[in-house]
Amino acid sequence: MSHSMYRRRRWRTLATTLALTLGSLALPAAALADGQLDPTYNGTGYHVGTVAEGTVFNNTDTRIPMIVQATGRVVIGGSRGGFMTLARYTPSGALDTTFGAGGFATAQFSGTPTSGPGNSGATAMTTDAAGNIIVAGFGASQSEFAARFTANGTFSGAAVCFAPHLIDYTARAVALRGTAAVLVGYARDRHPSIAVPGTPAVIYGQRAVVTIPASGVDTAACGAYSDNGGLSLGSAGVQIDGLGHDGTPTPDPISQANRQYDGVAVNADGSYVVASTIGPDGASWVQKFTGAGVGALDATFNPLGATPGRLPVAGVNFHAIKLGNGADTSFYIAGEAVDAAVAGNRQMLIARVSAVGALGNFNGGSGIARAKVAGGNNSGQALTFQGTNLIVGGSANLGGKAAFGMARFTAAGARDNTFGANGQVATPFGTPAVNGFITGMAVNGNFVYVSGRLSDPAGLATVSAKYFATGAPPPPLPAPAASTGGVDQITNSSARISGTVNTSGTASTWWIEYGTTTAYGATTAPQPLGASTDDVDVQNAVTGLAAGTAYHARVVISNTQGTVGGDDVTFTTTGSAAGGGTTGGTTGGTTGGTTGGTTGGTTGGTTAATTKKKKVVRQCVIVKVTGKSINKARSTLFSKGCKVKVIYKKSTKKKGTVLSINRKVGKKLVYRALVKVTVAAK
């Protein structure tokens, strides 16, 4: 979800540190293998941000951009406490306190030329020929910026573009065109006929070309700002494709709506190519714009297409884009293949588009190379060259959680199996694992550096990691992965536990641990799984439980590479808890109270024959699920003991988006009440 949906809200200070550990680390003896973490970087191969050091950001744009300086120092960006924030790490992975002020460089930008500075964040980064850091991002309320910092984190200048009424700008990518910066991203329109705050936004791609001043902040760099009786008409030089500056649609608004520009690459002649996300037509666009000003569609690019200057590619989602090395004038685009029916079929991809707008001469002539990393449901958010090879990075579903995922391809588009395990790397974080996403990537020397984020109830933690990119021996097989999904079919004495596991390429066994505490104490019989890198959904019933009793449970998987447990889930069996003696387990329990004289089993004895049992009515609270993925929404509801009925409705929104629930958020419902969840479907 983009930052602009919440930009006007005040961010709360994170009070706790996100404590995370990597599932497994390679031994130093095998550390030179391609795709392995470098254990000399922060002692682990990665640096997870903490509240104490100030590197837990609140950047809801979801991107943590990064660059690697010639010295091997890594700079990441985001938003913290309302300030656009850059942090730098030393070559050994420690926070570099010589950068900026104590390791951080910050700035804030206004929403209009006359308003004060406000909530700002960095979403894209690059460097210029002098080694300066060029940052793009969002400013307060309705603006975007391109700023320059010295290599050591001193602010030198910025250009700010202002949005028209009811539209938010966000820069998603930046590239240099001589001394100018090309910004691409999106504008968010609520339509002029809808009063503030209005309904959810419609997204349009937007572009700007700005020159960053030598010093200070230039509020006219995107053209003259104007307003009409207090109604902002924004900066004249920003082009919103499909939308006018007064918020009214321009020709062809339907096909251009609900897509954004996520990547940009500049040619030597000043023209530039933009990659978009998938739109209403089921295709992502690759578009070339001329080099004069903000530019117009270049009709020499895909000249025989329905719209010259535009190459639509169906069934994919595009993000980062790079111009080929040296004499290679092709464009390489990272993203993921989209399967509207099965999310697990999403694969990371790299597409090659020629200078004249044609797919081909890559991966056997198809023009697109794909790789299913770990359990699938991949996202390809970042791209970098390693000599003639290409590495795509993003997320991979590993045991039901999103892990850092990467795949390497040769110059011909074949998967390079010398990188990681069979050409792919999946790195889980946390015990149990939390969701992680690569959002930035760069190669420096023999290493590939990545930036990303980890999501957890405590907040959003930044991650900087360093992997070997040049080596010989293969890495050891990774540890397995597991996550616990939910609990259903709860009775007085039993329940069914579900989850997801991934053997990570080694034959494994899995089981359910359960008990009245997180020490568990009881298990189901181990079940075998063959070697695979696919996620496998598992479930099993636990029986012999005591009535009216709270239990903990989790899914566990084990193989020669380690034993991993999933998230802990809780549930309460139905019926009334027995008094007196010990409640039953899988063997039936012991005798009841001394005066009751009833044999234990699942209900136990009573303390007196005249004791009246009070019926316990359990309740669950339906938490907010709007905007979350359906799997997470269903898991949340299952964990509360609620049955879930999913209703699919045709929608232009991203598949899996929860559109509504049939109960008010926070309302208590009768235990195991039916909750209907409406989900977008293509």
Side-chain angles (χ1 to χ4, degrees):
M1 183 175 293
S2 66
H3 82 277
S4 58
M5 301 298 289
Y6 300 100
R7 190 184 290 180
R8 295 176 181 85
R9 299 180 184 177
R10 299 179 63 88
W11 295 102
R12 294 178 297 176
T13 302
L14 295 172
T16 58
T17 299
L18 186 60
L20 298 159
T21 59
L22 190 66
S24 65
L25 282 176
L27 296 175
L32 290 177
D34 289 13
Q36 274 191 273
L37 286 163
D38 176 9
T40 66
Y41 189 75
N42 199 40
T44 56
Y46 60 91
H47 188 127
V48 175
T50 67
V51 172
E53 72 178 9
T55 50
V56 173
F57 291 171
N58 48 18
N59 205 34
T60 57
D61 183 77
T62 72
R63 287 201 167 185
I64 303 297
M66 60 91 70
I67 57 147
V68 180
Q69 297 175 316
T71 58
R73 289 174 169 83
V74 178
V75 181
I76 66 171
S79 178
R80 185 188 64 174
F83 285 82
M84 183 233 75
T85 302
L86 306 180
R88 189 168 76 177
Y89 298 107
T90 66
S92 62
L95 186 66
D96 185 355
T97 56
T98 67
F99 180 76
F104 300 97
T106 62
Q108 274 188 319
F109 303 97
S110 61
T112 68
T114 57
S115 63
N119 188 47
S120 305
T123 54
M125 270 197 287
T126 188
T127 55
D128 64 14
N132 295 309
I133 304 167
I134 307 299
V135 186
F138 59 88
S141 181
Q142 292 180 318
S143 66
E144 65 181 355
F145 69 87
R148 183 193 306 107
F149 290 79
T150 66
N152 287 322
T154 300
F155 174 80
S156 65
V160 184
C161 306
F162 302 101
H165 183 58
L166 292 181
I167 301 173
D168 291 325
Y169 284 162
T170 294
R172 296 276 294 176
V174 60
L176 295 181
R177 187 170 80 181
T179 59
V182 180
L183 308 179
V184 301
Y186 64 82
R188 184 173 69 95
D189 175 44
R190 299 186 186 211
H191 297 300
S193 61
I194 302 174
V196 177
T199 57
V202 178
I203 300 298
Y204 294 86
Q206 58 92 3
R207 303 171 286 119
V209 178
V210 300
T211 297
I212 303 172
S215 62
V217 177
D218 186 354
T219 59
C222 298
Y225 171 82
S226 61
D227 61 52
N228 182 9
L231 178 66
S232 170
L233 297 182
S235 300
V238 179
Q239 177 65 52
I240 310 171
D241 295 331
L243 199 68
H245 283 280
D246 59 355
T248 57
T250 58
D252 193 25
I254 301 301
S255 66
Q256 298 198 82
N258 291 312
R259 71 174 76 238
Q260 65 190 40
Y261 298 145
D262 260 9
V264 60
V266 176
N267 290 306
D269 63 0
S271 63
Y272 60 96
V273 174
V274 171
S276 87
T277 57
I278 198 166
D281 58 354
S284 288
W285 290 350
V286 184
Q287 299 185 109
K288 182 179 180 182
F289 295 94
T290 58
V294 182
L297 281 176
D298 185 343
T300 65
F301 188 79
N302 192 25
L304 300 181
T307 303
R310 175 184 302 161
L311 173 66
V313 183
V316 301
N317 216 18
F318 283 153
H319 300 293
I321 181 172
K322 285 186 176 293
L323 179 64
N325 285 325
D328 185 357
T329 57
S330 299
F331 298 92
Y332 296 84
I333 313 169
E336 64 269 0
V338 176
D339 188 321
V342 182
N345 289 343
R346 292 190 176 210
Q347 297 178 313
M348 286 188 192
L349 65 81
I350 297 177
R352 181 180 182 180
V353 177
S354 71
V356 294
L359 282 170
N361 195 27
F362 195 61
N363 191 33
S366 69
I368 301 178
R370 296 174 172 86
K372 183 179 180 181
V373 178
N377 197 17
N378 299 155
S379 175
Q381 296 283 333
L383 177 68
T384 188
F385 286 99
Q386 183 197 352
T388 58
N389 289 335
L390 300 106
I391 305 175
V392 57
S395 65
N397 212 42
L398 183 62
K401 292 293 179 68
F404 276 20
M406 293 187 291
R408 187 165 72 186
F409 296 90
T410 68
R415 189 159 65 173
D416 183 356
N417 290 330
T418 65
F419 183 73
N422 300 316
Q424 61 174 267
V425 172
T427 305
F429 288 88
T431 305
V434 297
N435 290 321
F437 306 83
I438 289 175
T439 59
M441 181 182 294
V443 167
N444 184 278
N446 293 331
F447 302 95
V448 56
Y449 296 79
V450 304
S451 65
R453 69 191 191 280
L454 303 179
S455 59
D456 185 82
L460 184 154
T462 61
V463 183
S464 171
K466 181 182 179 183
Y467 296 82
F468 283 92
T470 303
L477 290 171
S483 65
T484 312
V487 186
D488 64 353
Q489 298 185 5
I490 304 172
T491 70
N492 286 24
S493 60
S494 64
R496 185 174 68 176
I497 315 299
S498 62
T500 304
V501 296
N502 193 307
T503 70
S504 297
T506 303
S508 307
T509 56
W510 72 272
W511 60 87
I512 306 292
E513 292 184 344
Y514 62 100
T516 56
T517 70
T518 53
Y520 305 108
T523 69
T524 61
Q527 303 292 320
L529 282 174
S532 171
T533 58
D534 290 337
D535 273 10
V536 178
D537 293 330
V538 296
Q539 61 183 21
N540 206 347
V542 294
T543 58
L545 308 180
T549 302
Y551 282 90
H552 295 260
R554 67 174 182 171
V555 175
V556 181
I557 186 171
S558 180
N559 61 31
T560 56
Q561 306 305 315
T563 299
V564 177
D567 315 85
D568 177 78
V569 296
T570 59
F571 64 95
T572 302
T573 50
T574 57
S576 300
T582 306
T583 58
T586 57
T587 58
T590 62
T591 57
T594 57
T595 59
T598 303
T599 302
T602 58
T603 58
T606 57
T607 57
T610 58
T611 300
K612 183 177 181 181
K613 296 179 181 179
K614 182 178 179 182
K615 183 178 181 181
V616 178
V617 178
R618 302 287 171 180
Q619 294 182 327
C620 63
V621 178
I622 304 305
V623 298
K624 183 175 182 179
V625 296
T626 302
K628 302 292 184 182
S629 69
I630 180 59
N631 288 336
K632 182 174 178 60
R634 291 177 67 180
S635 296
T636 301
L637 296 174
F638 277 136
S639 69
K640 299 296 182 181
C642 299
K643 292 181 179 178
V644 177
K645 180 179 181 181
V646 180
I647 301 174
Y648 291 89
K649 291 187 176 181
K650 187 175 182 180
S651 171
T652 59
K653 292 184 178 296
K654 183 179 179 181
K655 176 184 175 291
T657 301
V658 177
L659 302 178
S660 64
I661 58 175
N662 74 334
R663 291 291 187 271
K664 183 178 180 181
V665 172
K667 182 178 179 181
K668 289 185 177 181
L669 303 177
V670 176
Y671 189 63
R672 288 176 56 76
L674 178 66
V675 178
K676 296 179 181 179
V677 181
T678 304
V679 183
K682 295 292 288 186

